Amino acid sequence: MSSTAISDSPAPWLRDNCPCGDCRDPRTGQKLFQITDLPPRPAVGSARELPGDDGPVWEVMWEPDGHRSRYPAAWLDAHCPGGPQGPRGDGRTEADKELWAAADLTGRLPGASWDAYIGDRSVRIRALESVRRLGFVLLRDVPHRDRMVLDVAETFGFVRRTNYGELFEVRVEADPNNLAFTGAAIGPHTDNPYRDPVPTVQLLHCLRNEALGGDSGLVDGFHAAALLRQEAPRAFDVLTRVPVEFVFTDARTELRAQRPLIDVDPLGRIREIRFNNRSFGTLHESAPVLEEFYAAYRRFGELLLRPDLRLDFRLTPGDCLIFDNTRLLHARTAFAESGGRHLQGAYADLDGLGSALAVLRREGGAA
């Protein structure tokens, strides 16, 4: 298959992937050339199979400059253009996820105890993989002390500081700048859609929850969007094309971002959900576009409220929920403001989580 991979591969692509020490720095693996440094029309002059330390390699002599490249046969088989693996994802789209409704997680809520998460690499790998694959994980028995949520975030990445600070207090405030800091019920939503880039990971650590009400809920936004695409493809298309202006303002802050409710990658795969009616600004489109958008927006909103899509649970002191804020919508029921309910939250990012997961695996952990 490797010789076929060479003959069938576009020459510019193959030459650009030369792994030799003249083309890539052996310490960093990074390229030492620009695409404009290569011949404009490289061609394979000859190719032959040779033995290598880790299996056979294919040596290619290039024309017109006589450059020599050696490609491991295993690499050619894994990466040949048009191979069975198809276009590779970056772990962020629906193609790399397990989409779910509430019943799908009955009896297998992804979770781990804090001690096991900290002390056992394989447990940490499974927990972080749950965030990547299912969108969340629930850590239990996390010490319920002030600012502990920051320590949790730093086990896999870096805290994203915002206008709310390093962390934010989810409790009733006398003069709130956000409905989250009241006892009001809050429907399924993603956080901070008015930022670009949006914080991609959110953490919520429960310190107290004695109030009547205040139960939590999660909805898989990718699953909901996939259902919308299946049931109302025109509505799905509209929500991927029409930008929404999300806005947040208070005495010290003014933030705006224009993004669609459903973002897709160049291959049409669902990549991000932004849905937050509290931050929804005024759309400035033609009347026909607005009519079509609001019909689609309502259709998606109704779908997100389907009871079978929502996973309901109650956070108890010591629980720390880590979830993908570009995929999962979170919600809560109303609670009595006279009761004791106090969560601390923080933001982090999926690239840091993905990096931590990759390094743990590279160092020999097994999921």
Side-chain angles (χ1 to χ4, degrees):
M1 180 178 177
S2 297
S3 60
T4 302
I6 290 173
S7 61
D8 290 349
S9 295
W13 172 85
L14 192 61
R15 178 65 186 274
D16 186 50
N17 281 284
C18 177
C20 80
D22 291 333
C23 291
R24 290 182 180 267
D25 180 74
R27 298 161 299 178
T28 66
Q30 294 181 328
K31 290 180 182 177
L32 297 170
F33 63 90
Q34 301 292 331
I35 189 64
T36 51
D37 295 329
L38 300 180
R41 295 177 183 83
V44 175
S46 64
R48 59 174 179 160
E49 186 177 24
L50 299 172
D53 294 339
D54 298 313
V57 299
W58 280 84
E59 182 182 79
V60 173
M61 298 299 294
W62 290 99
E63 295 179 350
D65 60 348
H67 185 77
R68 181 177 68 176
S69 301
R70 288 188 173 184
Y71 302 93
W75 183 90
L76 288 168
D77 290 342
H79 297 281
C80 62
Q85 76 277 1
R88 291 171 180 249
D90 61 0
R92 291 286 301 276
T93 76
E94 61 179 312
D96 301 301
K97 311 296 185 186
E98 180 183 339
L99 308 189
W100 53 266
D104 298 326
L105 296 182
T106 301
R108 64 181 193 103
L109 197 69
S113 73
W114 174 249
D115 286 345
Y117 173 80
I118 289 297
D120 188 327
R121 178 186 283 123
S122 64
V123 172
R124 192 180 303 190
I125 287 173
R126 287 196 296 271
L128 298 181
E129 175 58 30
S130 290
V131 179
R132 295 265 288 183
R133 183 171 48 85
L134 294 171
F136 74 105
V137 71
L138 182 62
L139 300 182
R140 300 184 179 87
D141 303 318
V142 178
H144 35 100
R145 64 170 183 262
D146 185 49
R147 301 177 67 83
M148 184 65 195
V149 69
L150 302 180
D151 293 341
V152 178
E154 289 171 358
T155 65
F156 62 80
F158 307 94
V159 174
R160 170 88 80 89
R161 188 180 181 92
T162 70
N163 59 299
Y164 299 111
E166 284 186 304
L167 59 77
F168 50 92
E169 311 282 356
V170 186
R171 61 187 175 191
V172 174
E173 301 284 355
D175 186 22
N177 66 351
N178 193 307
L179 278 178
F181 310 137
T182 72
I186 298 180
H189 67 283
T190 61
D191 264 22
N192 288 210
Y194 39 78
R195 296 184 193 279
D196 198 9
V198 69
T200 50
V201 172
Q202 183 169 350
L203 301 90
L204 289 172
H205 180 214
C206 182
L207 299 177
R208 294 181 62 195
N209 199 3
E210 300 148 13
L212 181 63
D215 292 347
S216 300
L218 292 174
V219 176
D220 184 352
F222 281 17
H223 177 52
L227 286 175
L228 182 69
R229 181 176 56 201
Q230 175 185 330
E231 297 174 6
R234 178 62 183 172
F236 176 87
D237 180 63
V238 167
L239 297 188
T240 65
R241 289 188 294 101
V242 178
V244 172
E245 182 168 287
F246 293 100
V247 181
F248 176 84
T249 61
D250 65 10
R252 298 179 302 163
T253 309
E254 182 163 336
L255 296 166
R256 297 173 185 272
Q258 281 197 346
R259 301 294 299 171
L261 296 184
I262 302 172
D263 198 18
V264 296
D265 75 356
L267 298 179
R269 300 176 297 192
I270 300 163
R271 181 177 173 84
E272 182 176 299
I273 305 296
R274 295 197 189 208
F275 194 95
N276 190 320
N277 69 296
R278 289 172 288 138
S279 306
F280 206 101
T282 302
L283 273 64
H284 300 92
E285 301 283 352
S286 67
V289 170
L290 290 174
E291 290 280 2
E292 193 170 37
F293 172 83
Y294 269 91
Y297 175 33
R298 182 180 183 86
R299 180 82 180 250
F300 191 37
E302 290 172 343
L303 198 156
L304 289 169
L305 293 177
R306 291 182 185 176
D308 59 309
L309 296 192
R310 178 162 161 170
L311 180 67
D312 289 307
F313 54 95
R314 185 174 180 83
L315 292 174
T316 60
D319 288 345
C320 186
L321 181 67
I322 305 171
F323 61 95
D324 180 347
N325 185 52
T326 67
R327 174 185 173 185
L328 296 195
L329 293 86
H330 60 291
R332 74 158 188 237
T333 61
F335 65 93
E337 295 194 358
S338 58
R341 187 179 191 273
H342 183 196
L343 311 180
Q344 285 187 327
Y347 298 117
D349 286 296
L350 285 168
D351 56 358
L353 186 148
S355 172
L357 182 57
V359 170
L360 284 166
R361 287 173 169 159
R362 193 172 66 199
E363 290 177 345

